[in-house]
Amino acid sequence: MSVSLSQKTLDPAELRPLGSKDPSWGRLAAPNPLVRVIKGLLRAAYQEKLSIISLIVFFLLWEGVCYFKIIGPYQLAPPSKVLKLLIAKLATQNPDGAYLWAHALSSLGLALSGFGAATLFGVPLGLLMGWYPRLNHLVRPVFDLLRPIPPIAWIPLAIIWLGIGGVAKGFIIFLAAFVPGVINSFTGARLTNPVLVRVAKIHGASDFTAFWRIGVPSAAPMIFTGLRLSLNAAWTTLVAAELVAASQGLGFMIQMGRRLARPDIVIVGMLTIGLLGAFLSWILSKIERSFFAGRAS
Amino acid sequence: MTPEPQTPDPAKRSNPAAKTPKAVKVLVRNLTKSFGSLLVLDNLNFVVYAGELLCLVGPTGCGKTTFLNCLTGFLPLTAGEILVDGQKASFKKGDLGFVFQESSTIPWLTVYDNVAFGLKIKKTPPEVIKERVERILTVVGLNPFKDLYPRELSASLDQRVALAREFATQPNLLLMDEPYGQLDIKLRYYLEDELRRIQEREGTTVAFVTHNIEEAVYLADRILVLTQKPATIKEEVIVTLPRPRRFDDPSFVAIRDQVTAAIQWW
Ligand SMILES: Nc1ncnc2c1ncn2[C@@H]1O[C@H](COP(=O)(O)OP(=O)(O)OP(=O)(O)O)[C@@H](O)[C@H]1O
Ligand SMILES: [Mg+2]
């Protein structure tokens, strides 16, 4: 009988430096992990040379545009100045009223609570709608009616209902993150292989047991897709949500930068948003990977 | 005890070996099933005896899967009834086993957990699950693979997992829908022997659907030949050949030809 086991065999040919045709290379290098790591780095560096060049050119152009005042200092700050401010902002509250990490934490707290609440309600709702057609018929019309409204269009109502505190902002982010959570969990539950449902039922599983034992785990990959999109939506809505009177947060920091005519502050805020967003999705993909370890990829 | 069908009782008609009448496990009476205006099963009457391996053979699309789905209660009957142990058949009792035509292993569970799945659904005590799963894994030779996931298995191993899962629950009645259709011939022989071995050991009643005549003659105690859709029972063939059966045995060939002729004659 044939069993395909995934084996991690090392192909010595892969370890050879590029261009080298000498097969003895790999054989010598393979047993030594240090050599292997260094060779790997060199090869990666070679492959990424082009990308590095393009980045360098980009930053040089940016710096040059500012240095030669092609764009004025109130419109754009050079990368050198942005970097300096980025470091300085770790230790100073001026001129926008808070340390960079305080802004970041405030934004993180806001985005994650909106995202968390959306996941807590959206994922179970989507899964149950996908499993129970009646619930779907009940909820779907309202959901479809509200879905196309962009989350930021809710801002005025959110302020009327919830004031200008954190709750209103959290609510906007919640709305943004809720929709992809519901839709993807719904699709995941819907796509459950009917044969597996029968396997559960033939052994006496109730509809809910089948949902729990088959529907939910089978939807897991789609749930994670939803989480990723939700997180993304939560994070991109952040700046808009922080337009609602705020005294802290990265969105607020950007606003302050504009008011103070300090493009460097604006850019530091933008950069931090970008980096944190990338960091969050990285964490989520780590969680996803450990969750599915062993399962089909 | 439920009354026998009105049509000539197959038990009396054609079971000379049965001096003591066998217990009836499944009673199919006037079973009719249509999808809208499409008549698929046309007034079927037959029984499955306790402990026997009954093969249902019939051309592709004649309604074999439909019959099994009616038996489990996944599909509503248009007319007639199916009784298991004198009661209306239903998957809800949870005492059936079903090996599906397509792969039915659960992709996120290991082989071990797949085999344990039915028992877990039935809330069997963990010690019992462990004991039964380990025993059945040994019987079907899946022990070396118990920590693998289905995607790491060949088609035949995959089908063995499904088989082991059903045997582990010690079903009252095991339904098999062309379980070996996808497998190559050598593995099929092997799994056929294996099925027979476990079935005899556990005393399971098996209804085995196939359109492979050789497979049916090899496995069956009794064969029911179905006609083209709408399906009726064309012929009943009792197979009393001693085991192990040989494909080149003249009496084997004779029965095979008899069944083939029955299928082809329409
Ligand atoms: N849910 C359904 N709705 C409508 N028609 C159906 C349905 N299920 C099956 N049929 C039809 O009933 C007939 C019998 O189908 P069935 O799957 O029972 O055949 P089968 O004997 O199992 O065939 P095969 O050997 O290909 O597995 C086919 O013509 C099929 O198109
Ligand atoms: Mg079929």
Side-chain angles (χ1 to χ4, degrees):
Chain A
M1 62 211 71
S2 68
V3 191
S4 60
L5 289 160
S6 53
Q7 287 179 311
K8 284 199 186 71
T9 43
L10 208 64
D11 181 5
E14 280 186 15
L15 301 167
R16 229 177 295 145
L18 282 163
S20 156
K21 292 269 186 310
D22 179 7
S24 67
W25 228 104
R27 254 180 273 140
L28 284 173
N32 186 338
L34 188 65
V35 171
R36 203 168 43 175
V37 167
I38 292 171
K39 285 295 150 197
L41 284 176
L42 281 179
R43 200 181 42 171
Y46 176 84
Q47 282 165 348
E48 275 160 25
K49 211 184 261 176
L50 279 177
S51 333
I52 289 169
I53 289 173
S54 90
L55 277 178
I56 290 173
V57 168
F58 172 76
F59 282 109
L60 280 180
L61 271 178
W62 179 2
E63 188 77 37
V65 158
C66 296
Y67 185 83
F68 295 107
K69 305 235 161 47
I70 299 170
I71 300 180
Y74 294 108
Q75 273 85 49
L76 187 65
S80 55
K81 200 172 165 199
V82 168
L83 189 66
K84 237 186 277 167
L85 181 71
L86 184 69
I87 295 163
K89 275 302 294 170
L90 295 175
T92 172
Q93 293 178 297
N94 293 328
D96 46 279
Y99 299 110
L100 180 58
W101 50 263
H103 285 309
L105 277 182
S106 157
S107 291
L108 265 181
L110 195 58
L112 288 183
S113 48
F115 167 71
T119 300
L120 208 64
F121 290 103
V123 170
L125 178 66
L127 288 173
L128 289 167
M129 279 166 70
W131 198 261
Y132 295 102
R134 273 195 209 147
L135 181 69
N136 186 33
H137 290 314
L138 194 70
V139 179
R140 196 53 181 270
V142 182
F143 184 73
D144 278 344
L145 191 72
L146 300 181
R147 186 158 66 113
I149 301 172
I152 52 171
W154 287 88
I155 288 179
L157 273 186
I159 293 175
I160 294 172
W161 292 341
L162 302 165
I164 52 171
V167 183
K169 285 173 269 185
F171 175 67
I172 302 299
I173 293 175
F174 169 85
L175 286 177
F178 186 68
V179 172
V182 172
I183 293 179
N184 286 280
S185 310
F186 170 85
T187 312
R190 259 296 160 82
L191 291 179
T192 306
N193 181 352
V195 174
L196 300 186
V197 179
R198 286 185 174 190
V199 167
K201 291 202 167 172
I202 202 93
H203 292 119
S206 66
D207 212 20
F208 186 77
T209 307
F211 168 71
W212 187 246
R213 296 293 202 123
I214 297 291
V216 174
S218 137
M222 283 302 283
I223 295 176
F224 268 102
T225 304
L227 290 187
R228 222 175 311 126
L229 294 173
S230 273
L231 186 63
N232 206 34
W235 198 244
T236 47
T237 316
L238 183 71
V239 178
E242 282 176 344
L243 289 177
V244 179
S247 59
Q248 239 178 33
L250 295 166
F252 167 77
M253 182 180 171
I254 291 175
Q255 282 297 109
M256 282 300 284
R258 184 188 61 85
R259 244 179 274 164
L260 297 169
R262 285 278 305 270
D264 53 341
I265 292 181
V266 175
I267 295 172
V268 166
M270 289 166 64
L271 267 183
T272 314
I273 289 177
L275 289 175
L276 269 180
F279 178 66
L280 286 178
S281 13
W282 179 78
I283 290 182
L284 191 62
S285 71
K286 277 278 160 197
I287 296 173
E288 186 175 354
R289 210 161 311 154
S290 71
F291 188 85
F292 291 122
R295 258 220 230 182
S297 45
Chain B
M1 201 60 227
T2 49
E4 295 289 295
Q6 285 95 1
T7 42
D9 178 8
K12 282 165 207 148
R13 181 177 58 185
S14 50
N15 203 351
K19 296 233 168 52
T20 50
K22 290 186 198 171
V24 171
K25 189 82 194 170
V26 183
L27 175 63
V28 179
R29 188 157 43 188
N30 303 331
L31 170 64
T32 298
K33 174 69 191 172
S34 37
F35 296 104
S37 61
L38 177 73
L39 180 62
V40 177
L41 302 176
D42 186 11
N43 197 26
L44 295 182
N45 287 284
F46 63 94
V47 297
V48 185
Y49 297 107
E52 82 168 334
L53 198 160
L54 174 75
C55 276
L56 288 159
V57 292
T60 298
C62 75
K64 302 183 293 294
T65 301
T66 302
F67 165 68
L68 292 181
N69 284 333
C70 288
L71 207 172
T72 56
F74 285 137
L75 284 176
L77 316 185
T78 306
E81 61 180 348
I82 305 177
L83 302 177
V84 178
D85 292 327
Q87 293 182 315
K88 201 166 163 292
S90 166
F91 64 89
K92 291 193 177 116
K93 290 207 190 72
D95 58 356
L96 301 176
F98 203 124
V99 181
F100 293 84
Q101 197 164 359
E102 55 272 69
S103 166
S104 63
T105 48
I106 300 165
W108 56 88
L109 299 179
T110 60
V111 166
Y112 185 98
D113 289 331
N114 258 288
V115 175
F117 183 79
L119 293 167
K120 280 192 183 148
I121 292 280
K122 289 183 208 303
K123 303 206 166 65
T124 315
E127 325 82 70
V128 181
I129 295 185
K130 190 163 178 297
E131 183 262 314
R132 284 222 216 142
V133 172
E134 276 167 9
R135 189 169 64 104
I136 207 80
L137 283 175
T138 312
V139 171
V140 300
L142 279 172
N143 244 329
F145 312 107
K146 66 180 194 300
D147 295 323
L148 298 187
Y149 285 87
R151 80 193 143 92
E152 299 170 304
L153 304 176
S154 63
S156 74
L157 280 174
D158 189 85
Q159 198 57 290
R160 272 156 92 178
V161 174
L163 193 62
R165 176 178 60 211
E166 301 313 303
F167 273 118
T169 61
Q170 301 180 343
N172 188 13
L173 172 65
L174 178 59
L175 309 170
M176 302 181 74
D177 192 0
E178 302 190 37
Y180 305 146
Q182 258 74 283
L183 308 183
D184 65 70
I185 232 163
K186 243 168 78 187
L187 286 160
R188 223 170 54 208
Y189 291 163
Y190 179 78
L191 290 181
E192 282 163 11
D193 286 338
E194 196 168 272
L195 167 66
R196 201 55 229 195
R197 216 173 53 235
I198 306 171
Q199 188 247 346
E200 276 166 15
R201 184 192 309 190
E202 313 276 326
T204 315
T205 310
V206 180
F208 190 105
V209 160
T210 176
H211 59 228
N212 183 319
I213 297 161
E214 210 150 58
E215 182 171 55
V217 179
Y218 188 75
L219 280 175
D221 296 316
R222 207 153 56 91
I223 300 172
L224 291 180
V225 181
L226 299 176
T227 62
Q228 193 77 277
K229 175 181 69 189
T232 52
I233 293 175
K234 174 104 180 65
E235 194 164 332
E236 180 196 44
V237 181
I238 313 274
V239 189
T240 50
L241 298 174
R243 295 175 196 276
R245 293 176 181 168
R246 293 172 48 87
F247 295 90
D248 51 2
D249 177 354
S251 37
F252 185 102
V253 174
I255 295 175
R256 193 193 65 199
D257 292 347
Q258 181 193 349
V259 175
T260 310
I263 284 193
Q264 277 167 353
W265 195 88
W266 45 64

